[in-house]
Amino acid sequence: MAEKKEIYLGYSTDKAMTPFFQSFLEALDQEKLMKSKCTKCGAEYLPPREHCQKDMSKCELTELTEKEAKLYSYVIVDFAPESLSSKAPYVVAIGEFPSGLRLTAHITNLMSMPEVGMPLKLGFEKVDEKKITYKWLV
Ligand SMILES: [Zn+2]
């Protein structure tokens, strides 16, 4: 029988692969979401990228200060992978911040159908001591 693997929607704060990602995780552990900005062209990335997609220059991490966004798009997942089947149906949403940066995360506290344009707030959840995730709250 195949080994059952847990899929976790978030970050294990002790599993950084690079110093850049380590800094991202340390900030996330403090409930700060970091974006990155290209040192050459100024392009911004969320979640952060270490290198610019346009010119491959180094990016620097800066804290995302925006906490409120609008629902840009969403999908309702009825048929979830096994590891998430207990959470189905669930909503995966793309929120757009006033700056234009977009972030994909779950909406976990919906009481009615989501509507494009509705306000979203960025939230964090510590799953355990070493696991944290960000999510949208309505
Ligand atoms: Zn660039």
Side-chain angles (χ1 to χ4, degrees), residues 80-116:
E82 195 177 86
S83 62
L84 289 170
S85 58
S86 67
K87 297 188 191 297
Y90 57 86
V91 178
V92 178
I94 301 172
E96 187 174 77
F97 290 101
S99 65
L101 286 172
R102 292 176 187 160
L103 184 70
T104 302
H106 285 214
I107 306 179
T108 55
N109 65 338
L110 272 174
M111 299 301 283
S112 58
M113 285 296 285
E115 283 178 44
V116 169

PDB file of all heavy atoms in Angstrom, residues 80-116:
ATOM      1  N   ALA A  80     -11.954  17.356  -3.119  1.00  0.00           N
ATOM      2  CA  ALA A  80     -10.623  17.702  -2.633  1.00  0.00           C
ATOM      3  C   ALA A  80      -9.711  16.489  -2.670  1.00  0.00           C
ATOM      4  O   ALA A  80     -10.174  15.349  -2.659  1.00  0.00           O
ATOM      5  CB  ALA A  80     -10.743  18.210  -1.208  1.00  0.00           C
ATOM      6  N   PRO A  81      -8.397  16.736  -2.698  1.00  0.00           N
ATOM      7  CA  PRO A  81      -7.468  15.610  -2.506  1.00  0.00           C
ATOM      8  C   PRO A  81      -7.716  14.988  -1.134  1.00  0.00           C
ATOM      9  O   PRO A  81      -8.250  15.629  -0.236  1.00  0.00           O
ATOM     10  CB  PRO A  81      -6.087  16.259  -2.597  1.00  0.00           C
ATOM     11  CG  PRO A  81      -6.307  17.724  -2.440  1.00  0.00           C
ATOM     12  CD  PRO A  81      -7.715  18.012  -2.855  1.00  0.00           C
ATOM     13  N   GLU A  82      -7.347  13.732  -0.999  1.00  0.00           N
ATOM     14  CA  GLU A  82      -7.674  12.977   0.214  1.00  0.00           C
ATOM     15  C   GLU A  82      -7.303  13.699   1.499  1.00  0.00           C
ATOM     16  O   GLU A  82      -8.052  13.716   2.466  1.00  0.00           O
ATOM     17  CB  GLU A  82      -6.964  11.623   0.145  1.00  0.00           C
ATOM     18  CG  GLU A  82      -7.507  10.636   1.162  1.00  0.00           C
ATOM     19  CD  GLU A  82      -6.834   9.281   1.013  1.00  0.00           C
ATOM     20  OE1 GLU A  82      -5.768   9.088   1.604  1.00  0.00           O
ATOM     21  OE2 GLU A  82      -7.393   8.444   0.306  1.00  0.00           O
ATOM     22  N   SER A  83      -6.127  14.324   1.481  1.00  0.00           N
ATOM     23  CA  SER A  83      -5.640  14.969   2.705  1.00  0.00           C
ATOM     24  C   SER A  83      -6.499  16.152   3.129  1.00  0.00           C
ATOM     25  O   SER A  83      -6.438  16.587   4.264  1.00  0.00           O
ATOM     26  CB  SER A  83      -4.200  15.424   2.515  1.00  0.00           C
ATOM     27  OG  SER A  83      -4.139  16.376   1.473  1.00  0.00           O
ATOM     28  N   LEU A  84      -7.292  16.686   2.185  1.00  0.00           N
ATOM     29  CA  LEU A  84      -8.126  17.841   2.508  1.00  0.00           C
ATOM     30  C   LEU A  84      -9.613  17.518   2.449  1.00  0.00           C
ATOM     31  O   LEU A  84     -10.447  18.399   2.543  1.00  0.00           O
ATOM     32  CB  LEU A  84      -7.824  18.987   1.523  1.00  0.00           C
ATOM     33  CG  LEU A  84      -6.471  19.658   1.702  1.00  0.00           C
ATOM     34  CD1 LEU A  84      -6.189  20.586   0.540  1.00  0.00           C
ATOM     35  CD2 LEU A  84      -6.429  20.426   3.001  1.00  0.00           C
ATOM     36  N   SER A  85      -9.919  16.233   2.287  1.00  0.00           N
ATOM     37  CA  SER A  85     -11.319  15.865   2.063  1.00  0.00           C
ATOM     38  C   SER A  85     -12.212  16.246   3.242  1.00  0.00           C
ATOM     39  O   SER A  85     -13.377  16.566   3.055  1.00  0.00           O
ATOM     40  CB  SER A  85     -11.438  14.376   1.750  1.00  0.00           C
ATOM     41  OG  SER A  85     -10.900  13.632   2.816  1.00  0.00           O
ATOM     42  N   SER A  86     -11.645  16.277   4.457  1.00  0.00           N
ATOM     43  CA  SER A  86     -12.463  16.648   5.610  1.00  0.00           C
ATOM     44  C   SER A  86     -12.828  18.133   5.585  1.00  0.00           C
ATOM     45  O   SER A  86     -13.743  18.562   6.267  1.00  0.00           O
ATOM     46  CB  SER A  86     -11.731  16.325   6.918  1.00  0.00           C
ATOM     47  OG  SER A  86     -10.600  17.157   7.057  1.00  0.00           O
ATOM     48  N   LYS A  87     -12.091  18.918   4.809  1.00  0.00           N
ATOM     49  CA  LYS A  87     -12.359  20.358   4.737  1.00  0.00           C
ATOM     50  C   LYS A  87     -13.268  20.733   3.569  1.00  0.00           C
ATOM     51  O   LYS A  87     -13.723  21.855   3.472  1.00  0.00           O
ATOM     52  CB  LYS A  87     -11.053  21.137   4.625  1.00  0.00           C
ATOM     53  CG  LYS A  87     -10.150  20.984   5.846  1.00  0.00           C
ATOM     54  CD  LYS A  87      -8.975  21.939   5.728  1.00  0.00           C
ATOM     55  CE  LYS A  87      -7.882  21.690   6.731  1.00  0.00           C
ATOM     56  NZ  LYS A  87      -8.242  21.863   8.113  1.00  0.00           N
ATOM     57  N   ALA A  88     -13.509  19.810   2.643  1.00  0.00           N
ATOM     58  CA  ALA A  88     -14.321  20.122   1.459  1.00  0.00           C
ATOM     59  C   ALA A  88     -15.786  20.283   1.840  1.00  0.00           C
ATOM     60  O   ALA A  88     -16.257  19.578   2.736  1.00  0.00           O
ATOM     61  CB  ALA A  88     -14.161  19.013   0.426  1.00  0.00           C
ATOM     62  N   PRO A  89     -16.562  21.121   1.177  1.00  0.00           N
ATOM     63  CA  PRO A  89     -16.058  22.054   0.160  1.00  0.00           C
ATOM     64  C   PRO A  89     -15.325  23.233   0.809  1.00  0.00           C
ATOM     65  O   PRO A  89     -15.703  23.663   1.891  1.00  0.00           O
ATOM     66  CB  PRO A  89     -17.345  22.533  -0.517  1.00  0.00           C
ATOM     67  CG  PRO A  89     -18.402  22.406   0.528  1.00  0.00           C
ATOM     68  CD  PRO A  89     -17.996  21.258   1.406  1.00  0.00           C
ATOM     69  N   TYR A  90     -14.293  23.690   0.157  1.00  0.00           N
ATOM     70  CA  TYR A  90     -13.574  24.861   0.659  1.00  0.00           C
ATOM     71  C   TYR A  90     -13.304  25.842  -0.472  1.00  0.00           C
ATOM     72  O   TYR A  90     -13.459  25.502  -1.642  1.00  0.00           O
ATOM     73  CB  TYR A  90     -12.280  24.464   1.378  1.00  0.00           C
ATOM     74  CG  TYR A  90     -11.295  23.660   0.555  1.00  0.00           C
ATOM     75  CD1 TYR A  90     -10.377  24.290  -0.271  1.00  0.00           C
ATOM     76  CD2 TYR A  90     -11.280  22.266   0.631  1.00  0.00           C
ATOM     77  CE1 TYR A  90      -9.464  23.548  -1.014  1.00  0.00           C
ATOM     78  CE2 TYR A  90     -10.376  21.522  -0.108  1.00  0.00           C
ATOM     79  CZ  TYR A  90      -9.466  22.158  -0.924  1.00  0.00           C
ATOM     80  OH  TYR A  90      -8.586  21.431  -1.643  1.00  0.00           O
ATOM     81  N   VAL A  91     -12.958  27.038  -0.093  1.00  0.00           N
ATOM     82  CA  VAL A  91     -12.804  28.113  -1.073  1.00  0.00           C
ATOM     83  C   VAL A  91     -11.347  28.549  -1.138  1.00  0.00           C
ATOM     84  O   VAL A  91     -10.744  28.850  -0.113  1.00  0.00           O
ATOM     85  CB  VAL A  91     -13.686  29.329  -0.709  1.00  0.00           C
ATOM     86  CG1 VAL A  91     -13.471  30.466  -1.705  1.00  0.00           C
ATOM     87  CG2 VAL A  91     -15.149  28.920  -0.667  1.00  0.00           C
ATOM     88  N   VAL A  92     -10.808  28.527  -2.337  1.00  0.00           N
ATOM     89  CA  VAL A  92      -9.476  29.076  -2.580  1.00  0.00           C
ATOM     90  C   VAL A  92      -9.688  30.389  -3.321  1.00  0.00           C
ATOM     91  O   VAL A  92     -10.386  30.413  -4.342  1.00  0.00           O
ATOM     92  CB  VAL A  92      -8.608  28.114  -3.415  1.00  0.00           C
ATOM     93  CG1 VAL A  92      -7.247  28.737  -3.704  1.00  0.00           C
ATOM     94  CG2 VAL A  92      -8.436  26.782  -2.686  1.00  0.00           C
ATOM     95  N   ALA A  93      -9.119  31.449  -2.776  1.00  0.00           N
ATOM     96  CA  ALA A  93      -9.415  32.775  -3.312  1.00  0.00           C
ATOM     97  C   ALA A  93      -8.153  33.536  -3.664  1.00  0.00           C
ATOM     98  O   ALA A  93      -7.123  33.388  -3.013  1.00  0.00           O
ATOM     99  CB  ALA A  93     -10.208  33.572  -2.280  1.00  0.00           C
ATOM    100  N   ILE A  94      -8.281  34.352  -4.691  1.00  0.00           N
ATOM    101  CA  ILE A  94      -7.227  35.310  -5.011  1.00  0.00           C
ATOM    102  C   ILE A  94      -7.729  36.675  -4.558  1.00  0.00           C
ATOM    103  O   ILE A  94      -8.781  37.132  -5.007  1.00  0.00           O
ATOM    104  CB  ILE A  94      -6.923  35.350  -6.526  1.00  0.00           C
ATOM    105  CG1 ILE A  94      -6.479  33.963  -7.011  1.00  0.00           C
ATOM    106  CG2 ILE A  94      -5.844  36.399  -6.835  1.00  0.00           C
ATOM    107  CD1 ILE A  94      -6.352  33.864  -8.523  1.00  0.00           C
ATOM    108  N   GLY A  95      -6.997  37.270  -3.645  1.00  0.00           N
ATOM    109  CA  GLY A  95      -7.320  38.618  -3.193  1.00  0.00           C
ATOM    110  C   GLY A  95      -6.368  39.599  -3.836  1.00  0.00           C
ATOM    111  O   GLY A  95      -5.195  39.280  -4.049  1.00  0.00           O
ATOM    112  N   GLU A  96      -6.892  40.773  -4.148  1.00  0.00           N
ATOM    113  CA  GLU A  96      -6.041  41.811  -4.730  1.00  0.00           C
ATOM    114  C   GLU A  96      -5.937  42.977  -3.756  1.00  0.00           C
ATOM    115  O   GLU A  96      -6.945  43.545  -3.337  1.00  0.00           O
ATOM    116  CB  GLU A  96      -6.617  42.293  -6.064  1.00  0.00           C
ATOM    117  CG  GLU A  96      -5.687  43.258  -6.794  1.00  0.00           C
ATOM    118  CD  GLU A  96      -6.204  43.619  -8.178  1.00  0.00           C
ATOM    119  OE1 GLU A  96      -7.149  44.447  -8.246  1.00  0.00           O
ATOM    120  OE2 GLU A  96      -5.712  43.066  -9.164  1.00  0.00           O
ATOM    121  N   PHE A  97      -4.690  43.307  -3.392  1.00  0.00           N
ATOM    122  CA  PHE A  97      -4.444  44.445  -2.506  1.00  0.00           C
ATOM    123  C   PHE A  97      -4.541  45.744  -3.309  1.00  0.00           C
ATOM    124  O   PHE A  97      -4.418  45.723  -4.545  1.00  0.00           O
ATOM    125  CB  PHE A  97      -3.048  44.316  -1.880  1.00  0.00           C
ATOM    126  CG  PHE A  97      -2.944  43.190  -0.887  1.00  0.00           C
ATOM    127  CD1 PHE A  97      -2.363  41.979  -1.249  1.00  0.00           C
ATOM    128  CD2 PHE A  97      -3.440  43.328   0.400  1.00  0.00           C
ATOM    129  CE1 PHE A  97      -2.269  40.933  -0.335  1.00  0.00           C
ATOM    130  CE2 PHE A  97      -3.353  42.289   1.317  1.00  0.00           C
ATOM    131  CZ  PHE A  97      -2.766  41.094   0.946  1.00  0.00           C
ATOM    132  N   PRO A  98      -4.719  46.875  -2.621  1.00  0.00           N
ATOM    133  CA  PRO A  98      -4.801  48.153  -3.343  1.00  0.00           C
ATOM    134  C   PRO A  98      -3.594  48.409  -4.248  1.00  0.00           C
ATOM    135  O   PRO A  98      -3.728  49.038  -5.293  1.00  0.00           O
ATOM    136  CB  PRO A  98      -4.864  49.182  -2.202  1.00  0.00           C
ATOM    137  CG  PRO A  98      -5.484  48.447  -1.064  1.00  0.00           C
ATOM    138  CD  PRO A  98      -4.982  47.026  -1.181  1.00  0.00           C
ATOM    139  N   SER A  99      -2.431  47.889  -3.881  1.00  0.00           N
ATOM    140  CA  SER A  99      -1.228  48.063  -4.715  1.00  0.00           C
ATOM    141  C   SER A  99      -1.287  47.269  -6.013  1.00  0.00           C
ATOM    142  O   SER A  99      -0.469  47.480  -6.906  1.00  0.00           O
ATOM    143  CB  SER A  99       0.004  47.610  -3.932  1.00  0.00           C
ATOM    144  OG  SER A  99      -0.085  46.211  -3.686  1.00  0.00           O
ATOM    145  N   GLY A 100      -2.234  46.338  -6.106  1.00  0.00           N
ATOM    146  CA  GLY A 100      -2.323  45.490  -7.287  1.00  0.00           C
ATOM    147  C   GLY A 100      -1.714  44.117  -7.063  1.00  0.00           C
ATOM    148  O   GLY A 100      -1.908  43.203  -7.871  1.00  0.00           O
ATOM    149  N   LEU A 101      -0.981  43.939  -5.972  1.00  0.00           N
ATOM    150  CA  LEU A 101      -0.425  42.621  -5.658  1.00  0.00           C
ATOM    151  C   LEU A 101      -1.569  41.676  -5.327  1.00  0.00           C
ATOM    152  O   LEU A 101      -2.541  42.062  -4.687  1.00  0.00           O
ATOM    153  CB  LEU A 101       0.535  42.705  -4.471  1.00  0.00           C
ATOM    154  CG  LEU A 101       1.894  43.336  -4.743  1.00  0.00           C
ATOM    155  CD1 LEU A 101       2.651  43.519  -3.433  1.00  0.00           C
ATOM    156  CD2 LEU A 101       2.709  42.479  -5.706  1.00  0.00           C
ATOM    157  N   ARG A 102      -1.417  40.442  -5.766  1.00  0.00           N
ATOM    158  CA  ARG A 102      -2.462  39.440  -5.527  1.00  0.00           C
ATOM    159  C   ARG A 102      -1.889  38.274  -4.744  1.00  0.00           C
ATOM    160  O   ARG A 102      -0.721  37.927  -4.900  1.00  0.00           O
ATOM    161  CB  ARG A 102      -3.023  38.933  -6.853  1.00  0.00           C
ATOM    162  CG  ARG A 102      -3.794  39.994  -7.596  1.00  0.00           C
ATOM    163  CD  ARG A 102      -4.247  39.482  -8.939  1.00  0.00           C
ATOM    164  NE  ARG A 102      -4.835  40.575  -9.709  1.00  0.00           N
ATOM    165  CZ  ARG A 102      -4.968  40.554 -11.024  1.00  0.00           C
ATOM    166  NH1 ARG A 102      -4.584  39.498 -11.726  1.00  0.00           N
ATOM    167  NH2 ARG A 102      -5.505  41.574 -11.647  1.00  0.00           N
ATOM    168  N   LEU A 103      -2.744  37.672  -3.935  1.00  0.00           N
ATOM    169  CA  LEU A 103      -2.335  36.565  -3.092  1.00  0.00           C
ATOM    170  C   LEU A 103      -3.401  35.484  -3.095  1.00  0.00           C
ATOM    171  O   LEU A 103      -4.587  35.777  -2.961  1.00  0.00           O
ATOM    172  CB  LEU A 103      -2.117  37.073  -1.654  1.00  0.00           C
ATOM    173  CG  LEU A 103      -1.595  36.058  -0.641  1.00  0.00           C
ATOM    174  CD1 LEU A 103      -0.143  35.697  -0.948  1.00  0.00           C
ATOM    175  CD2 LEU A 103      -1.714  36.611   0.767  1.00  0.00           C
ATOM    176  N   THR A 104      -2.972  34.263  -3.250  1.00  0.00           N
ATOM    177  CA  THR A 104      -3.893  33.121  -3.233  1.00  0.00           C
ATOM    178  C   THR A 104      -3.872  32.476  -1.850  1.00  0.00           C
ATOM    179  O   THR A 104      -2.802  32.183  -1.327  1.00  0.00           O
ATOM    180  CB  THR A 104      -3.469  32.077  -4.287  1.00  0.00           C
ATOM    181  OG1 THR A 104      -3.455  32.707  -5.572  1.00  0.00           O
ATOM    182  CG2 THR A 104      -4.432  30.906  -4.319  1.00  0.00           C
ATOM    183  N   ALA A 105      -5.031  32.278  -1.280  1.00  0.00           N
ATOM    184  CA  ALA A 105      -5.135  31.632   0.037  1.00  0.00           C
ATOM    185  C   ALA A 105      -6.567  31.127   0.223  1.00  0.00           C
ATOM    186  O   ALA A 105      -7.457  31.468  -0.554  1.00  0.00           O
ATOM    187  CB  ALA A 105      -4.774  32.621   1.140  1.00  0.00           C
ATOM    188  N   HIS A 106      -6.759  30.347   1.263  1.00  0.00           N
ATOM    189  CA  HIS A 106      -8.109  29.892   1.584  1.00  0.00           C
ATOM    190  C   HIS A 106      -8.903  31.000   2.251  1.00  0.00           C
ATOM    191  O   HIS A 106      -8.338  31.819   2.961  1.00  0.00           O
ATOM    192  CB  HIS A 106      -8.048  28.726   2.578  1.00  0.00           C
ATOM    193  CG  HIS A 106      -7.632  27.447   1.944  1.00  0.00           C
ATOM    194  ND1 HIS A 106      -8.099  26.227   2.331  1.00  0.00           N
ATOM    195  CD2 HIS A 106      -6.790  27.197   0.933  1.00  0.00           C
ATOM    196  CE1 HIS A 106      -7.566  25.281   1.593  1.00  0.00           C
ATOM    197  NE2 HIS A 106      -6.751  25.853   0.743  1.00  0.00           N
ATOM    198  N   ILE A 107     -10.214  30.976   2.033  1.00  0.00           N
ATOM    199  CA  ILE A 107     -11.113  31.759   2.888  1.00  0.00           C
ATOM    200  C   ILE A 107     -11.726  30.752   3.843  1.00  0.00           C
ATOM    201  O   ILE A 107     -12.338  29.771   3.403  1.00  0.00           O
ATOM    202  CB  ILE A 107     -12.253  32.451   2.109  1.00  0.00           C
ATOM    203  CG1 ILE A 107     -11.709  33.303   0.968  1.00  0.00           C
ATOM    204  CG2 ILE A 107     -13.071  33.321   3.060  1.00  0.00           C
ATOM    205  CD1 ILE A 107     -12.818  33.982   0.150  1.00  0.00           C
ATOM    206  N   THR A 108     -11.542  30.971   5.125  1.00  0.00           N
ATOM    207  CA  THR A 108     -11.941  29.923   6.075  1.00  0.00           C
ATOM    208  C   THR A 108     -13.186  30.267   6.894  1.00  0.00           C
ATOM    209  O   THR A 108     -13.677  29.437   7.634  1.00  0.00           O
ATOM    210  CB  THR A 108     -10.788  29.616   7.049  1.00  0.00           C
ATOM    211  OG1 THR A 108     -10.401  30.834   7.674  1.00  0.00           O
ATOM    212  CG2 THR A 108      -9.605  29.014   6.319  1.00  0.00           C
ATOM    213  N   ASN A 109     -13.667  31.488   6.791  1.00  0.00           N
ATOM    214  CA  ASN A 109     -14.792  31.851   7.673  1.00  0.00           C
ATOM    215  C   ASN A 109     -15.998  32.388   6.895  1.00  0.00           C
ATOM    216  O   ASN A 109     -16.713  33.247   7.387  1.00  0.00           O
ATOM    217  CB  ASN A 109     -14.330  32.882   8.712  1.00  0.00           C
ATOM    218  CG  ASN A 109     -13.932  34.205   8.071  1.00  0.00           C
ATOM    219  OD1 ASN A 109     -13.615  34.252   6.880  1.00  0.00           O
ATOM    220  ND2 ASN A 109     -13.943  35.269   8.854  1.00  0.00           N
ATOM    221  N   LEU A 110     -16.210  31.872   5.702  1.00  0.00           N
ATOM    222  CA  LEU A 110     -17.354  32.325   4.901  1.00  0.00           C
ATOM    223  C   LEU A 110     -18.667  31.835   5.493  1.00  0.00           C
ATOM    224  O   LEU A 110     -18.779  30.685   5.890  1.00  0.00           O
ATOM    225  CB  LEU A 110     -17.242  31.771   3.480  1.00  0.00           C
ATOM    226  CG  LEU A 110     -16.469  32.582   2.452  1.00  0.00           C
ATOM    227  CD1 LEU A 110     -16.365  31.765   1.164  1.00  0.00           C
ATOM    228  CD2 LEU A 110     -17.137  33.911   2.174  1.00  0.00           C
ATOM    229  N   MET A 111     -19.649  32.718   5.508  1.00  0.00           N
ATOM    230  CA  MET A 111     -20.969  32.317   5.966  1.00  0.00           C
ATOM    231  C   MET A 111     -21.963  32.301   4.807  1.00  0.00           C
ATOM    232  O   MET A 111     -23.091  31.868   4.963  1.00  0.00           O
ATOM    233  CB  MET A 111     -21.472  33.277   7.058  1.00  0.00           C
ATOM    234  CG  MET A 111     -20.592  33.302   8.300  1.00  0.00           C
ATOM    235  SD  MET A 111     -20.422  31.693   9.102  1.00  0.00           S
ATOM    236  CE  MET A 111     -22.000  31.600   9.944  1.00  0.00           C
ATOM    237  N   SER A 112     -21.534  32.824   3.665  1.00  0.00           N
ATOM    238  CA  SER A 112     -22.402  32.822   2.488  1.00  0.00           C
ATOM    239  C   SER A 112     -21.519  32.710   1.254  1.00  0.00           C
ATOM    240  O   SER A 112     -20.300  32.644   1.376  1.00  0.00           O
ATOM    241  CB  SER A 112     -23.231  34.111   2.447  1.00  0.00           C
ATOM    242  OG  SER A 112     -22.365  35.228   2.435  1.00  0.00           O
ATOM    243  N   MET A 113     -22.115  32.703   0.097  1.00  0.00           N
ATOM    244  CA  MET A 113     -21.343  32.577  -1.136  1.00  0.00           C
ATOM    245  C   MET A 113     -20.393  33.768  -1.300  1.00  0.00           C
ATOM    246  O   MET A 113     -20.772  34.902  -1.040  1.00  0.00           O
ATOM    247  CB  MET A 113     -22.289  32.529  -2.348  1.00  0.00           C
ATOM    248  CG  MET A 113     -22.996  31.201  -2.508  1.00  0.00           C
ATOM    249  SD  MET A 113     -21.848  29.842  -2.845  1.00  0.00           S
ATOM    250  CE  MET A 113     -21.449  30.174  -4.552  1.00  0.00           C
ATOM    251  N   PRO A 114     -19.169  33.480  -1.726  1.00  0.00           N
ATOM    252  CA  PRO A 114     -18.251  34.589  -1.971  1.00  0.00           C
ATOM    253  C   PRO A 114     -18.707  35.415  -3.175  1.00  0.00           C
ATOM    254  O   PRO A 114     -19.387  34.902  -4.057  1.00  0.00           O
ATOM    255  CB  PRO A 114     -16.922  33.879  -2.272  1.00  0.00           C
ATOM    256  CG  PRO A 114     -17.274  32.495  -2.642  1.00  0.00           C
ATOM    257  CD  PRO A 114     -18.586  32.175  -2.011  1.00  0.00           C
ATOM    258  N   GLU A 115     -18.362  36.681  -3.154  1.00  0.00           N
ATOM    259  CA  GLU A 115     -18.694  37.553  -4.281  1.00  0.00           C
ATOM    260  C   GLU A 115     -17.463  38.328  -4.684  1.00  0.00           C
ATOM    261  O   GLU A 115     -16.788  38.918  -3.829  1.00  0.00           O
ATOM    262  CB  GLU A 115     -19.784  38.554  -3.879  1.00  0.00           C
ATOM    263  CG  GLU A 115     -21.170  37.954  -3.817  1.00  0.00           C
ATOM    264  CD  GLU A 115     -22.202  38.984  -3.358  1.00  0.00           C
ATOM    265  OE1 GLU A 115     -22.166  40.133  -3.839  1.00  0.00           O
ATOM    266  OE2 GLU A 115     -23.024  38.612  -2.504  1.00  0.00           O
ATOM    267  N   VAL A 116     -17.183  38.329  -5.981  1.00  0.00           N
ATOM    268  CA  VAL A 116     -16.042  39.091  -6.491  1.00  0.00           C
ATOM    269  C   VAL A 116     -16.200  40.552  -6.055  1.00  0.00           C
ATOM    270  O   VAL A 116     -17.284  41.111  -6.139  1.00  0.00           O
ATOM    271  CB  VAL A 116     -15.950  38.976  -8.031  1.00  0.00           C
ATOM    272  CG1 VAL A 116     -14.949  39.970  -8.607  1.00  0.00           C
ATOM    273  CG2 VAL A 116     -15.557  37.551  -8.424  1.00  0.00           C
TER     274      VAL A 116
END
